[in-house]
Amino acid sequence: MTISVRLNGVERNVAAATVDALIAELKIPGAPRGLAVAVNGAVVPRASWTSRDLRAGDAIEIVRATQGG
């Protein structure tokens, strides 16, 4: 089963049921290191990724920390 979410501003169907599963599904290189996730405008602490369920229509933002000067 898939759900439709808005991921970084783009509508997308995903099979993941939790934030942790979404990160795995997206196969982001180096993840979860350096990632921050917000669902519906609320930051989800990494310790809560396995328990934060995703629902159809959720707005998810995934941001990677970068170094620079």
Side-chain angles (χ1 to χ4, degrees):
M1 182 176 102
T2 63
I3 59 171
S4 178
V5 298
R6 181 169 284 280
L7 180 60
N8 290 349
V10 177
E11 289 292 327
R12 182 172 178 153
N13 290 323
V14 298
T18 64
V19 170
D20 190 54
L22 177 62
I23 298 300
E25 181 178 328
L26 296 174
K27 298 178 182 165
I28 299 170
R33 207 171 155 176
L35 294 182
V37 178
V39 178
N40 300 324
V43 173
V44 180
R46 189 170 304 175
S48 299
W49 286 7
T50 57
S51 61
R52 177 53 169 94
D53 292 332
L54 300 177
R55 295 174 187 83
D58 279 346
I60 304 159
E61 295 292 327
I62 299 175
V63 180
R64 178 181 293 279
T66 59
Q67 292 180 316

